[in-house]
Amino acid sequence: MSTTIAPVDSPRPTSGAARSLAGRFARPAAAALSGVLLFLSFPPRPLWWLAVPAFALLGWTLRGRRTRAALGLGLLTGLGFMLPLLVWTGEEVGPVPWLALAFAEALFVAAACTGISAVSRLPGWPLWGAALWIAGEAARARVPFGGFPWGKIAFGQADGVFLPLAAAGGTPLLGFAVALCGFGLYETLRRAVAFRRTGTLPRAAAAVALLSLLLPLAGALAARPLVDDSAEDGTATVAAIQGNVPRLGLDFNAQRRAVLDNHARRTEQLAADVAAGREPRPDFVLWPENSSDLDPYRNADARLVIDRAVDAIGVPTVVGAVLTPDTGPLRNTLIEWEPGRGPVDTYDKRHVQPFGEYIPMRSFVRIFNSDVDRVRRDFGPGDEVGVFDLAGTRVGLVTCFEAAFDDAARDTVTHGAQMISVPSNNATFGRSEMTYQQLAMSRVRAVEHSRSVVVPVTSGVSAVIMPDGRIVRETAMFTPDALVAEVPLRSSQTPATRLGVLPEAALLLLAAGALGKAAADAARERRRRAAGAAEAS
């Protein structure tokens, strides 16, 4: 006797279930995508405009979400942004430091997004939401360990139409404008879709949406006259030396003498070119950070090499050196070196890099990564603003990582700097995007304070930047070179320089006020519901 078993069709999800599943993952995917778009808006890609749709997408993702959902969505945005942006931090030490830093920075983004969600039902929410984003940036620029401002939205706008706003209110106003424009774009589209569906359009709400979209663009246009590269105080001819390093990675310091020799040799070659008429004679020369990791005060051979190079070029030279006192921390120091006189002035880097130049919680961190012991002796911060008088030109000094901090460049200008130098050492990070991200910071600082900025780097990219943010000379990476250029000198101060932290403080007050209003509204709604439940019972 045979038995036939009828085939049983596998259950298929209904179209409603499929839509529900897609809806469940739509916002998380959008949150991560908004972060990726923010990353893609940063150099070396000239895609600054992607930040606007990124914030529009983020607005759709967060609007009306509950606190827990907003926190999770914001974390996805932060990871989508910070993981690719900071991948260079693991270039030589593996993924653990990179992942830890990216996650820590993403938590700040998540906190800001939670606040944005809370204010998203208030009238004029794009304004409050943009202010809250800047509040998140302000927090991570200060804590922990002195902060890590890398990835401020303003630093992705060096090629963008919003850049003039840096001269009006610094990086906080510039970043605020980008976020406001993006949130305004989303709100405008949301109102347009609602009008097509219902046929009604509240005038006040529509006006707020359009203003949020268009006001940042109008403000940037109005701020254009603040961007000026005229030579108020004449010009100076400056030379930036890029000596290159013997090899990539953390171990380049093992050949400290070779790095010093490279920079001395390239300076002597420039001197020969000047003598032959192939290059104009510079008024002063700028070497990069770590161009002499041999302390010239304690190593006679290093001092002799520097003396010979400076005497050959015959003009004041700024040398980046590591000073090793008998006791206390190391010093990341810039030394003004005069021909025939030697060292005459110094500047110690004020913002030293945690986990790079010093190791907080060393014994704890060692559990996760033994590379912390490569930093055998911590660097200590200086406490004085660096402005050197180089052949009559007052040059402000902002060493590498300091370019990310708003106060570092501003302090030099308020102390009389007519131009700025940002000596850096990017050799540790190989051919990663780090050097381009940092160069963009210097371009924003040039516009913010209306100063020429010269960036001498050990291994590239070195550059000469005009006060309007244009790069007029630059080097290739890992190529010995010398950039000689005439740059305008300026002494007037932009509104951003004069106002200092006030624009950021005003935005923080806006953010706090909006959060207070949202909390009060939520409390009233809870009381109303409780009263309604009591009446019903």
Side-chain angles (χ1 to χ4, degrees):
M1 180 178 179
S2 63
T3 304
T4 302
I5 301 176
V8 178
D9 291 336
S10 301
R12 296 181 180 179
T14 65
S15 59
R19 283 195 298 270
S20 176
L21 187 64
R24 180 178 301 176
F25 288 100
R27 289 187 189 272
L33 178 59
S34 68
V36 172
L37 290 177
L38 286 177
F39 159 68
L40 292 174
S41 73
F42 274 66
R45 293 160 295 277
L47 302 177
W48 57 268
W49 51 271
L50 280 178
V52 174
F55 278 108
L57 189 60
L58 183 62
W60 175 79
T61 302
L62 295 176
R63 188 175 185 278
R65 297 299 97 187
R66 294 180 182 273
T67 300
R68 184 180 300 177
L71 184 65
L73 292 169
L75 184 60
L76 289 174
T77 297
L79 291 173
F81 180 24
M82 293 296 173
L83 279 172
L85 186 78
L86 301 178
V87 67
W88 50 267
T89 60
E91 183 79 12
E92 293 293 331
V93 295
V96 174
W98 160 51
L99 294 174
L101 177 61
F103 184 78
E105 295 296 291
L107 287 176
F108 284 96
V109 175
C113 288
T114 303
I116 293 168
S117 175
V119 304
S120 64
R121 293 195 183 279
L122 295 179
W125 76 267
L127 181 70
W128 324 128
L132 277 159
W133 182 273
I134 299 305
E137 290 190 343
R140 65 185 182 86
R142 291 167 172 83
V143 292
F145 313 120
F148 189 75
W150 217 276
K152 293 178 74 168
I153 294 303
F155 296 148
Q157 297 297 307
D159 290 306
V161 298
F162 298 102
L163 181 60
L165 288 168
T171 60
L173 181 62
L174 175 53
F176 170 77
V178 176
L180 178 59
C181 190
F183 289 148
L185 173 61
Y186 162 65
E187 184 66 4
T188 300
L189 293 174
R190 189 176 76 85
R191 294 292 177 181
V193 169
F195 175 70
R196 289 191 63 182
R197 187 173 61 249
T198 65
T200 60
L201 183 63
R203 291 184 180 180
V208 167
L210 283 173
L211 280 174
S212 300
L213 173 62
L214 300 177
L215 193 59
L217 295 167
L221 183 63
R224 284 191 63 81
L226 298 175
V227 182
D228 185 359
D229 65 351
S230 61
E232 293 176 334
D233 301 335
T235 63
T237 301
V238 57
I241 301 297
Q242 177 174 299
N244 204 13
V245 298
R247 58 174 175 264
L248 309 189
L250 289 174
D251 288 329
F252 79 91
N253 277 330
Q255 296 189 26
R256 293 177 295 174
R257 178 57 189 270
V259 175
L260 172 58
D261 287 344
N262 285 353
H263 287 84
R265 187 180 305 113
R266 192 62 189 82
T267 303
E268 291 165 354
Q269 182 180 335
L270 174 61
D273 291 340
V274 170
R278 292 186 293 269
E279 291 282 7
R281 179 182 177 84
D283 296 309
F284 51 90
V285 174
L286 303 172
W287 285 16
E289 177 191 34
N290 295 124
S291 46
S292 177
D293 277 350
L294 290 169
D295 184 343
Y297 294 101
R298 300 172 65 88
N299 293 272
D301 58 337
R303 180 167 185 144
L304 182 63
V305 169
I306 298 170
D307 269 335
R308 187 169 58 239
V310 175
D311 288 345
I313 194 65
V315 297
T317 300
V318 177
V319 177
V322 173
L323 302 191
T324 57
D326 289 330
T327 60
L330 303 174
R331 297 287 174 176
N332 188 336
T333 300
L334 300 175
I335 306 172
E336 180 183 350
W337 209 287
E338 294 278 354
R341 295 177 60 194
V344 298
D345 201 358
T346 60
Y347 166 67
D348 292 335
K349 185 177 183 180
R350 291 180 291 160
H351 291 278
V352 292
Q353 184 180 355
F355 303 103
E357 292 172 304
Y358 76 99
I359 306 296
M361 306 181 301
R362 182 182 291 266
S363 58
F364 175 75
V365 175
R366 188 184 292 113
I367 297 172
F368 302 97
N369 196 310
S370 61
D371 281 316
V372 298
D373 290 323
R374 290 177 180 266
V375 183
R376 296 184 179 89
R377 185 175 173 187
D378 288 342
F379 283 80
D383 56 9
E384 293 184 2
V385 178
V387 180
F388 287 169
D389 187 328
L390 302 176
T393 298
R394 292 183 60 79
V395 179
L397 305 168
V398 181
T399 306
C400 196
F401 178 61
E402 292 185 311
F405 293 86
D406 290 343
D407 66 320
R410 178 179 179 269
D411 285 351
T412 69
V413 176
T414 58
H415 281 70
Q418 298 168 296
M419 62 164 285
I420 297 171
S421 174
V422 185
S424 302
N425 173 27
N426 299 337
T428 300
F429 306 109
R431 299 183 182 276
S432 69
E433 294 184 0
M434 181 270 188
T435 190
Y436 301 102
Q437 294 170 11
Q438 190 175 59
L439 184 59
M441 295 178 192
S442 295
R443 294 180 63 192
V444 172
R445 298 302 182 200
V447 173
E448 183 178 18
H449 301 294
S450 195
R451 294 294 187 272
S452 302
V453 178
V454 178
V455 185
V457 182
T458 49
S459 56
V461 174
S462 300
V464 178
I465 305 167
M466 293 291 104
D468 60 4
R470 288 179 300 120
I471 296 176
V472 293
R473 295 288 306 278
E474 65 181 307
T475 68
M477 293 183 71
F478 296 101
T479 304
D481 208 344
L483 302 179
V484 183
E486 185 178 18
V487 299
L489 304 178
R490 296 178 58 80
S491 55
S492 63
Q493 295 185 4
T494 64
T497 306
R498 293 194 296 270
L499 291 171
V501 300
L502 291 180
E504 184 179 61
L507 292 172
L508 295 182
L509 287 175
L510 279 179
L515 281 177
K517 177 68 165 61
D521 287 353
R524 281 196 298 270
E525 179 63 18
R526 286 194 296 270
R527 289 195 297 269
R528 187 189 65 80
R529 290 180 179 177
E535 289 178 3
S537 62

